[in-house]
Amino acid sequence: MIDFHLDTRSGVAPYLQLVHQVRDALRLGLLTPGDQLPTVKSVAGRLAINPNTVLKAYRELEHGGLVAARPGVGTFVTGRLTHASPAAHEGLRRELLVWLGEARASGLDDESIEALFRECHWSTQAEGAA
Amino acid sequence: MRCALETQGLAKLYGHRLALADCTLTIPTGHVAALVGPNGAGKTTLLHLAVGLLAPTRGAIRVLGESPARGARQLAQLGFVAQETPLYEDMSVADHLRFGGSLNPSWDRELAERRVDQIGLDRAQRAGALSGGQRAQLALTLAIAKRPQLLILDEPVARLDPLARREFLQQLMEAVAEQGLSVILSSHLVSDLERVCDYLVILVSSRVQLAGEIDSLLDSHRQLTGPRPGPWGLPEGQEVIEATHTDRQSTLLVRTDGPILDPNWGVDRIGLEDLVLAYMRRAGRSAAHSPMASTVDP
C-alpha cells in the first residue's frame, strides 16, 4: 500500500501533493489496478491532516478516472498511467543510470544535470508539437 | 446552511474593560476552523461565550443554531477543551474516564478506552503526574468520548513540544475523520494550521479581518514582485493588502479574483502563515493610524 508524505514548505497545496504521489506511484508501477488506497481516516491520522484534504485528493483522482470509491469498502485503483511494460521501464532506467554516471564523470553537478534534462525534454516536446 | 458558530455584534465587558467588541462572524459546520489572531484579540472570550461559560454583554451568539448552553441537549452536542487543559490533579486517568461516563449521557466508553490505549496512558496514573502532552491527550479524549457534534479547543497545542503537538493533531484528525466532527480551534501558532484546518477566521481587536475556506483564500491571494512602481504603477483591479518597497523593488500582497497578466510583475502563490501575518500587520497598522486609515502606501 502507498505511504503518503507531506512537505508543508513546498508551496504545493497538500491535496495536490497526495494526488501527485498517487500519480507517481501509478507511473512507476508501484500501484496497479485493484490496489487499495489507504483509508481517509488512516491518512488523516498518520499525517495529522484534515480528512477533507484527503477526500479532495481522492475525488480529484476519481474524476481523472484513476481510482474508484466503493462505499463502505474503500478507494481502489482502476486506471493506469504507464503504457510501457515494466520490462521497458527497467531497460530505460538502466540506460539512464549509465548516462547519469557519465554526466557526473564529465563533471556536471546535480543542477546542471537537471537543467540539461529539462532543456532536452522541452526541445523534444516542442518537436512533437510542431 | 447550519452554522457551527454565528455571532452578531457580540460584545463582552469585564467591568469597564472591553474584552470583545461588536464581533460579527459565521463559521459553517463540517470544517476544522482556525480562529487566529494576536493575544488579546478576544479569541478566548469568544470561545467562552460559545460554550456558555460567559454571558454576552451585548449582541447575539448561536452555536449549532441555538443559544449557548441552553439545556442539557445543547451541552451534550459540545465538546470543549480549555486553554489550561483542566483536569482533577489527584484523580487517576481511570477516575477521569469513570467521571466522564457518569456525567455524560452520550458517553462512548469503548471509544474512550480505545483512545487511552492508543495514546498509551497508564490508567492508574494521577492526572497531576502526567506530562503536558499526555494531559492534552486525556482532555481531548474526554471531550471526544462524549460524542459531540462540535469540538471547541482553546489554544490546544500552544504549550506542547513539537512531538506532542503532532501526536495531539494526529488524534484530533483521526477523530474528525471517524466521527465527522466540526472543530473550532483557536491558535496563535500558524505553522500547524495549514495541515489540519480547512477554514480560517483572522480576528484582530474583535474584528474579523478575513474569513473563508483556506484553499479558496490561498487561491485568491498572490504575491507580486517587481521593480519599484515605475510609469505603469500598481496592477489594476487588485486589492493591495500589503506593500513593501526597497529602493529598487516592490513586493505586494494582493487579493484578486482572476489571473494577473501584467508582465511587469512576478506572480507567486503565498503560504498560509504569510497570509495570516500580512492581515494581522494590516490590522495593526490601521489601528495605529485611524479607523479610516488607508492600507496602501504606494
Side-chain angles (χ1 to χ4, degrees):
Chain A
M1 190 174 283
I2 185 172
D3 208 6
F4 290 112
H5 54 91
L6 203 63
D7 177 4
T8 45
R9 304 208 168 273
S10 67
V12 179
Y15 89 94
L16 271 182
Q17 292 189 37
L18 303 185
V19 168
H20 291 162
Q21 284 164 37
V22 170
R23 294 181 64 95
D24 283 349
L26 284 165
R27 276 198 198 93
L28 296 173
L30 299 173
L31 281 176
T32 52
D35 286 344
Q36 186 174 5
L37 296 184
T39 62
V40 171
K41 181 188 153 191
S42 76
V43 179
R46 219 181 58 72
L47 294 183
I49 60 169
N50 192 304
N52 288 335
T53 304
V54 188
L55 277 171
K56 190 170 175 180
Y58 283 12
R59 266 201 308 270
E60 175 115 351
L61 289 163
E62 200 170 358
H63 210 70
L66 294 177
V67 308
R70 285 191 230 149
V73 190
T75 304
F76 294 84
V77 175
T78 52
R80 288 180 191 278
L81 277 177
T82 164
H83 297 293
S85 69
H89 238 238
E90 196 39 54
L92 289 166
R93 188 182 142 83
R94 262 200 311 274
E95 286 172 36
L96 188 57
L97 285 172
V98 171
W99 182 86
L100 281 169
E102 287 171 7
R104 291 221 170 80
S106 321
L108 269 67
D109 61 8
D110 286 350
E111 269 184 46
S112 310
I113 290 171
E114 281 171 30
L116 184 59
F117 176 82
R118 263 200 308 275
E119 196 267 322
C120 291
H121 188 216
W122 279 340
S123 63
T124 55
Q125 273 183 326
E127 278 166 27
Chain B
M1 180 182 64
R2 190 150 178 250
C3 287
L5 177 64
E6 208 177 355
T7 72
Q8 186 75 47
L10 191 67
K12 177 68 189 174
L13 273 155
Y14 293 113
H16 291 293
R17 196 174 70 81
L18 206 52
L20 194 69
D22 194 23
C23 175
T24 298
L25 62 78
T26 306
I27 299 176
T29 53
H31 288 289
V32 179
L35 187 61
V36 302
N39 292 330
K43 303 189 296 287
T44 296
T45 303
L46 177 63
L47 296 184
H48 283 192
L49 287 163
V51 295
L53 282 171
L54 292 173
T57 309
R58 275 192 304 277
I61 176 166
R62 294 176 91 73
V63 177
L64 295 170
E66 291 180 73
S67 297
R70 170 170 279 180
R73 197 179 57 82
Q74 162 77 343
L75 281 174
Q77 294 181 342
L78 276 189
F80 177 56
V81 179
Q83 211 170 104
E84 314 75 32
T85 52
L87 296 168
Y88 298 95
E89 303 296 316
D90 289 326
M91 276 170 51
S92 69
V93 171
D95 289 338
H96 276 90
L97 296 185
R98 260 194 302 280
F99 197 40
S102 65
L103 285 179
N104 294 288
S106 55
W107 187 256
D108 188 334
R109 184 163 169 267
E110 187 267 322
L111 176 74
E113 299 290 344
R114 179 159 52 88
R115 289 183 52 90
V116 165
D117 287 337
Q118 228 171 4
I119 306 158
L121 290 181
D122 173 4
R123 286 178 172 70
Q125 182 95 284
R126 278 189 327 111
L130 296 175
S131 72
Q134 290 172 326
R135 288 179 68 92
Q137 291 277 24
L138 178 58
L140 179 65
T141 297
L142 296 172
I144 287 174
K146 66 184 280 197
R147 288 265 181 195
Q149 291 181 29
L150 172 62
L151 193 59
I152 294 181
L153 309 170
D154 191 5
E155 294 282 1
V157 295
R159 287 177 307 169
L160 303 185
D161 65 57
L163 183 62
R165 196 184 300 159
R166 178 59 59 84
E167 286 169 355
F168 182 92
L169 294 175
Q170 286 177 320
Q171 291 289 322
L172 178 63
M173 288 303 103
E174 201 175 299
V176 169
E178 195 169 46
Q179 300 178 40
L181 285 169
S182 298
V183 179
I184 298 175
L185 62 90
S186 71
S187 183
H188 59 243
L189 290 175
V190 186
S191 52
D192 291 316
L193 299 181
E194 197 155 8
R195 318 171 74 94
V196 302
C197 297
D198 54 2
Y199 198 93
L200 175 74
V201 178
I202 302 178
L203 196 70
V204 180
S205 317
S206 303
R207 297 299 164 108
V208 174
Q209 308 295 325
L210 182 69
E213 289 189 26
I214 289 175
D215 281 346
S216 55
L217 292 178
L218 292 177
D219 283 342
S220 61
H221 287 82
R222 287 290 181 273
Q223 180 156 284
L224 309 186
T225 41
R228 181 156 191 164
W232 52 83
L234 297 173
E236 266 180 38
Q238 326 290 346
E239 184 191 357
V240 179
I241 306 304
E242 188 172 58
T244 51
H245 307 281
T246 64
D247 53 346
R248 293 199 185 158
Q249 197 183 43
S250 290
T251 304
L252 311 179
L253 174 64
V254 299
R255 186 169 194 171
T256 177
D257 291 324
I260 294 165
L261 302 170
D262 189 335
N264 292 308
W265 296 95
V267 181
D268 286 303
R269 290 180 66 88
I270 185 168
L272 186 64
E273 186 161 10
D274 289 331
L275 182 72
V276 168
L277 293 175
Y279 272 89
M280 281 173 32
R281 280 193 295 266
R282 175 166 94 150
R285 274 195 305 277
S286 58
H289 300 306
S290 77
M292 302 299 286
S294 156
T295 51
V296 193
D297 311 311

